[in-house]
């Protein structure tokens, strides 16, 4: 006999199939692998619920995306325009495409995320040439830029058109406002534009104790990849155009790059919740403070070396390989350079003092074995 169930009635499922999600993961498990491991801030979950229900126009023609523009301009100046996207790699690829020609190249640090952690997307998807420069601390300088800033009239060489920096850098270090201003002035004098990868931009502003505009539009940055996922959002980032005269066809590039969300209100409302008040700053200050607590404790453990200045929410350290392997069975974290014994410990908006102290106790125990 045919199933006579009404079309709008869902099929019955096994009793256990749609049960409590806590059966699938232990919410008490904590780690220091990545700020992407953290959940969603409750205020952002509430904003998502607020935006749900009823119908809103798709593809960014909704009231939340419209209101987001006002909030973004309050942080980044009246010329700023935000283009929400799905993820950080998408933000970087779209932003870099927007400020380069097909023959263009991007100067960046050899440790830059766009070079080492995006599976070649800027080059394979964006069609860009990355001109990498070795650095000790992940930071470019005008002198380092000049190692690759040449040959604009040489048709045999990809043309340097953009300098891309990250704030924070991939090594957890920070540029000062003055350093970014000097880089922007230097790049602009040579006819190049400046892109800032701001996956953890809130952590940088919190650590420097300055508004985000101080080291972006006010310093001369032309286009920004704004990160939200690592600072408490469920998903989503934004490309923020700071210099409209330098950017062409952003809407088309976003769609072409498969970063145009149909239900964009659910990205925009998260960015609104993060930026309308001080949630972005509260979250960043907290994760930075937990990294400082962790670093202070690590410095007291003999045999463990901190590799870079702890300026935001990352701690890079070197310790015996076997100790790290045992410790990873108790707390999740990643090797940064496994051959050298280098590791990275990240703190998140929801990292607690108890998390840090428990990890330090485990580290001391494993080092003593």
């Amino acid at each position: 006999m045919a199933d006579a169930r009404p079309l709008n009635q869902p099929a019955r499922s096994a009793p256990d199939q749609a049960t409590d999600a806590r059966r699938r993961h232990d919410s008490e498990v904590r780690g220091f692998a990545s700020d992407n491991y953290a959940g969603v801030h409750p205020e952002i979950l509430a904003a998502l619920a607020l935006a749900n229900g009823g119908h809103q126009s798709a593809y960014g023609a909704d009231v939340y995306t419209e209101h987001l523009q006002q909030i973004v301009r309050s942080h980044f100046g009246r010329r700023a325009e935000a283009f929400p996207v799905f993820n950080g790699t998408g933000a970087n690829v779209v932003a870099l495409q927007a400020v380069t020609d097909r023959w263009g190249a991007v100067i960046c640090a050899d440790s830059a995320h766009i070079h080492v952690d995006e599976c070649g997307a800027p080059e394979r998807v964006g069609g860009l040439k990355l001109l990498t420069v070795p650095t000790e601390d992940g930071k470019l300088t005008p002198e380092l830029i000049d190692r690759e800033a040449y040959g604009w009239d040489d048709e045999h060489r990809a043309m340097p058109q953009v300098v891309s920096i990250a704030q924070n850098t991939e090594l957890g270090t920070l540029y000062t406002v003055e350093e970014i201003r000097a880089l922007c002035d230097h790049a602009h004098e040579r006819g190049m534009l400046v892109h800032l990868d701001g996956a953890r931009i809130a952590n940088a502003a919190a650590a420097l104790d300055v508004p985000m505009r101080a080291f972006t539009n006010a310093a001369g940055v032309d286009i920004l990849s704004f990160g939200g996922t690592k600072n408490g959002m469920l998903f989503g980032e934004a490309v923020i155009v700071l210099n409209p005269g330098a950017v062409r066809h952003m809407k088309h590039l976003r769609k072409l790059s498969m970063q145009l969300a149909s239900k964009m209100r659910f990205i925009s409302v998260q960015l609104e919740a993060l930026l309308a008040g001080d949630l972005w700053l509260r979250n960043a200050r907290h994760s930075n403070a937990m990294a400082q607590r962790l670093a202070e404790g690590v410095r007291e453990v003999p045999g463990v070396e901190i590799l870079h200045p702890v300026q935001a929410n990352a701690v890079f350290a070197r310790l015996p390989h076997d100790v790290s392997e045992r410790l990873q069975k108790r707390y999740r974290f990643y090797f940064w350079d496994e051959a050298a014994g280098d590791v990275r410990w990240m703190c998140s908006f929801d990292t607690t003092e108890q998390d840090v102290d428990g990890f330090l106790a485990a580290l001391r125990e494993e080092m003593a074995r």
Side-chain angles (χ1 to χ4, degrees), residues 4-332:
R5 184 179 63 252
L7 292 177
N8 63 351
Q9 179 179 329
R12 294 180 180 272
S13 59
D16 292 337
Q17 195 167 350
T19 53
D20 191 348
R22 284 177 293 182
R23 294 184 181 180
R24 294 181 175 84
H25 88 284
D26 182 354
S27 62
E28 299 301 315
V29 171
R30 316 291 287 186
F32 295 85
S34 173
D35 31 16
N36 287 325
Y37 276 45
V40 183
H41 193 281
E43 292 180 36
I44 291 178
L45 282 176
L48 282 164
L50 180 68
N52 198 25
H55 288 199
Q56 271 288 300
S57 298
Y59 302 109
D62 59 272
V63 294
Y64 298 95
T65 303
E66 179 183 1
H67 187 238
L68 175 64
Q69 303 304 326
Q70 302 173 33
I71 295 169
V72 165
R73 290 180 185 123
S74 73
H75 286 280
F76 299 104
R78 60 182 179 81
R79 297 198 303 164
E81 185 174 6
F83 295 83
V85 295
F86 288 113
N87 54 49
T89 297
N92 284 336
V93 170
V94 170
L96 291 172
Q97 282 182 299
V99 288
T100 52
D101 294 308
R102 289 195 51 153
W103 50 88
V106 177
I107 299 173
C108 63
D110 61 356
S111 59
H113 197 275
I114 59 174
H115 177 54
V116 301
D117 268 317
E118 293 189 340
C119 198
E123 296 180 315
R124 295 294 299 273
V125 177
L128 303 165
K129 173 66 176 174
L130 299 182
L131 302 173
T132 62
V133 180
T135 72
E136 291 186 3
D137 56 3
K139 294 165 58 176
L140 291 176
T141 64
E143 294 75 22
L144 290 174
I145 289 171
D146 282 345
R147 293 188 184 184
E148 293 291 349
Y150 64 89
W152 287 278
D153 292 327
D154 183 356
E155 67 268 34
H156 301 287
R157 186 174 193 265
M159 182 187 292
Q161 292 185 317
V162 178
V163 174
S164 180
I165 60 175
Q167 179 80 317
N168 319 331
T169 73
E170 198 71 357
L171 301 181
T173 53
L174 294 177
Y175 290 92
T176 66
V177 173
E178 294 73 20
E179 286 172 333
I180 292 183
R181 185 177 294 117
L183 284 173
C184 291
D185 289 346
H186 194 76
H188 293 157
E189 287 169 3
R190 283 150 180 76
M192 297 185 294
L193 301 171
V194 178
H195 162 255
L196 191 144
D197 180 350
R200 296 184 175 95
I201 187 174
N203 297 93
L208 295 171
D209 196 25
V210 298
M212 290 182 287
R213 71 174 70 89
F215 56 84
T216 53
N217 54 301
V221 172
D222 297 288
I223 194 164
L224 165 68
S225 299
F226 180 88
T229 306
K230 292 177 171 62
N231 199 29
M233 283 174 49
L234 173 62
F235 68 95
E237 321 280 292
V239 175
I240 300 180
V241 175
L242 304 174
N243 177 8
V247 174
R248 294 167 294 176
H249 306 298
M250 265 296 305
K251 290 183 178 181
H252 295 83
L253 280 172
R254 180 173 57 177
K255 177 67 172 181
L256 175 68
S257 300
M258 297 173 286
Q259 288 292 317
L260 178 64
S262 55
K263 296 184 180 181
M264 195 181 296
R265 60 171 150 157
F266 295 108
I267 301 177
S268 298
V269 75
Q270 293 180 76
L271 290 163
E272 179 184 359
L274 200 64
L275 291 170
D278 67 347
L279 180 59
W280 66 276
L281 187 57
R282 281 187 279 132
N283 285 354
R285 282 177 173 166
H286 178 79
S287 56
N288 288 358
M290 292 301 98
Q292 289 297 331
R293 185 183 185 92
L294 176 58
E296 289 168 7
V298 167
R299 291 188 184 101
E300 297 176 358
V301 181
V304 182
E305 176 189 2
I306 292 181
L307 299 174
H308 305 292
V310 179
Q311 297 180 321
N313 64 323
V315 178
F316 290 81
R318 180 173 295 161
L319 61 158
H321 190 280
D322 60 323
V323 173
S324 291
E325 287 189 322
R326 293 197 303 269
L327 194 57
Q328 282 179 324
K329 295 177 182 177
R330 303 172 67 172
Y331 288 87
R332 295 175 182 173

